Amino acid sequence: MGVQEQYPFDVEALRADFPILDRKVGGDPETAGEGEGDDTPLVYLDNAATSHTPDPVVDAISDYYRSYNANVHRGIHQLSQEASVAYEEAHDAVADFIGAQGREEIVFTKNTTEAMNLVAYAWGLEELGPGDNVVLSEMEHHASLVTWQQIGKRTGADVRFVDVTDEGRLDMDHAAELIDDDTEMVSVVHVSNTLGTVNPIRELADMAHERDAYIFADAAQSVPTRPVDVEELDVDFLAFSGHKMCGPTGIGALYGREEILEEMSPYLYGGDMIRRVSFEDSTWEDLPWKFEAGTPSIAQGIGLAAAIEYLEEVGMDRIEAHEDLLAEYAYDELEALGGVEIYGPPGDDRGGLVAFNVEGVHAHDLSSILNDYGVAIRAGDHCTQPLHDEMGVAASARASFYFYNTVEEVDALVDAVREARDLFA
């Protein structure tokens, strides 16, 4: 059976919802799509950084601005009421999507990074002190690593890092050593944006809860690509970004257990999160609004709900299966080239991305050459600089897939990598 025959859905039919995938590139960016040289088909393999947005989501955002654009929770007039309902129902959609108990457990943020900072500042600064520790992993994104690192410096809490094995997995024996009676928070990425490793969050949650610690899952690379249920994972906090899951930029979500969020003080102050204000003191609105100060990202929240509806129609199980198929195929084809070092677990045991280096070719040079072939990948440390230091490389190239990518696009990647390898041989 050919690889294409294993697709869990009609990929070409879905690609029709993404006009950008029909773009031709190669010309002057100032005259994109118009200038001489725009003749190379785009092969977009940078989905771990940002995915594309289908027409139904663009239409939902456009409909808000064209039909009922108004501020939420501020007005009695009809447009404000319609906008408020849509915005609140967007919280419900997110809650249902990840298995939360209700909208009270869903706080809209700008992105995963802001969600991480919200918990670190609203909870961490209040609860952590000398003698406490926070446990991370060596594969953390800077959004987690730098945030908890700086909170540790402010509070005197120790920040510990679980080792990563040579195969790119968490050393769970080391995790069991680090998570002790002084641990207050375990914050671990669900799917590594560099190694593709799918971490055992439930096992880590059990370790944390046995020590009366909380666990925070960075789900920026998992919620867009596979079924995620916060109750099954038994996490206390979880965060993800809309722009990695067919939604707009500027919107993300923080899940937090209701009883924990109730005890936390607000992170930002201002309009909409206030219940009562006097010159002497103030009281806060109910969850989740007490954490959403000021005019929120209304259109973006509505767009995120539309993206969730779109993904659910495709089917998260099928999206995961398609990504696994492409990742395994890419891993095997790149490995077969020779002169390519791939990072992380084997191709049949990873998320939908492959980070690698070509012998004798810097990752940035490789990305530039691939761009000449219309292949868009990421090159750099992928906001995991300490992990790259541990791997002994300054940077890596990363191809990341989504459900609208095809085997033919993986072949285009491999062909371009071959050309680059031969050019520098």
Side-chain angles (χ1 to χ4, degrees), residues 314-358:
V314 178
M316 295 308 298
D317 287 318
R318 297 197 295 172
I319 289 173
E320 180 181 12
H322 187 71
E323 285 206 8
D324 288 350
L325 180 72
L326 294 182
E328 183 174 0
Y329 180 73
Y331 186 102
D332 292 344
E333 292 296 306
L334 287 169
E335 188 177 46
L337 277 180
V340 177
E341 182 177 8
I342 303 175
Y343 306 105
D348 60 350
D349 190 23
R350 60 167 55 230
L353 61 91
V354 179
F356 61 97
N357 271 314
V358 177

Side-chain angles (χ1 to χ4, degrees), residues 120-361:
Y121 280 85
W123 175 87
L125 285 182
E126 295 292 327
E127 301 296 333
L128 296 175
D132 297 328
N133 70 72
V134 175
V135 176
L136 313 179
S137 79
E138 290 182 339
M139 65 177 74
E140 293 309 299
H141 190 282
H142 294 168
S144 170
L145 194 156
V146 175
T147 301
W148 290 114
Q149 176 193 77
Q150 296 305 309
I151 293 296
K153 290 179 181 293
R154 293 194 183 195
T155 62
D158 185 29
V159 180
R160 303 173 173 182
F161 297 92
V162 179
D163 291 340
V164 175
T165 68
D166 291 340
E167 199 178 43
R169 305 180 194 277
L170 285 185
D171 184 336
M172 295 301 287
D173 290 334
H174 190 223
E177 294 176 11
L178 295 185
I179 300 171
D180 59 22
D181 290 338
D182 294 322
T183 302
E184 298 294 330
M185 175 69 75
V186 177
S187 184
V188 178
V189 63
H190 191 182
V191 175
S192 169
N193 73 318
T194 297
L195 301 174
T197 310
V198 182
N199 286 319
I201 295 297
R202 180 55 191 256
E203 186 177 348
L204 290 164
D206 291 342
M207 289 183 182
H209 293 152
E210 286 172 5
R211 302 289 187 167
D212 292 326
Y214 292 143
I215 183 166
F216 193 142
D218 173 356
Q221 299 295 338
S222 61
V223 165
T225 64
R226 63 196 55 240
V228 171
D229 187 296
V230 294
E231 294 295 328
E232 289 181 6
L233 293 176
D234 199 23
V235 291
D236 302 294
F237 299 100
L238 180 142
F240 58 95
S241 299
H243 68 96
K244 299 180 190 290
M245 51 186 291
C246 295
T249 56
I251 188 70
L254 168 69
Y255 158 79
R257 291 192 191 276
E258 184 174 359
E259 60 270 24
I260 304 174
L261 293 178
E262 286 283 9
E263 294 299 318
M264 289 167 53
S265 296
Y267 168 49
L268 298 172
Y269 299 92
D272 211 37
M273 51 79 64
I274 300 294
R275 179 184 296 276
R276 179 78 174 87
V277 180
S278 70
F279 287 119
E280 293 75 32
D281 204 0
S282 302
T283 58
W284 319 131
E285 261 294 358
D286 293 334
L287 292 174
W289 319 121
K290 80 171 183 177
F291 291 109
E292 296 186 15
T295 297
S297 301
I298 305 167
Q300 290 88 337
I302 292 168
L304 176 58
I308 286 173
E309 181 179 0
Y310 187 90
L311 294 177
E312 288 179 328
E313 289 179 359
V314 178
M316 295 308 298
D317 287 318
R318 297 197 295 172
I319 289 173
E320 180 181 12
H322 187 71
E323 285 206 8
D324 288 350
L325 180 72
L326 294 182
E328 183 174 0
Y329 180 73
Y331 186 102
D332 292 344
E333 292 296 306
L334 287 169
E335 188 177 46
L337 277 180
V340 177
E341 182 177 8
I342 303 175
Y343 306 105
D348 60 350
D349 190 23
R350 60 167 55 230
L353 61 91
V354 179
F356 61 97
N357 271 314
V358 177
E359 185 177 349
V361 187

Side-chain angles (χ1 to χ4, degrees), residues 112-124:
T112 306
T113 300
E114 186 180 60
M116 192 74 65
N117 275 267
L118 190 161
V119 175
Y121 280 85
W123 175 87

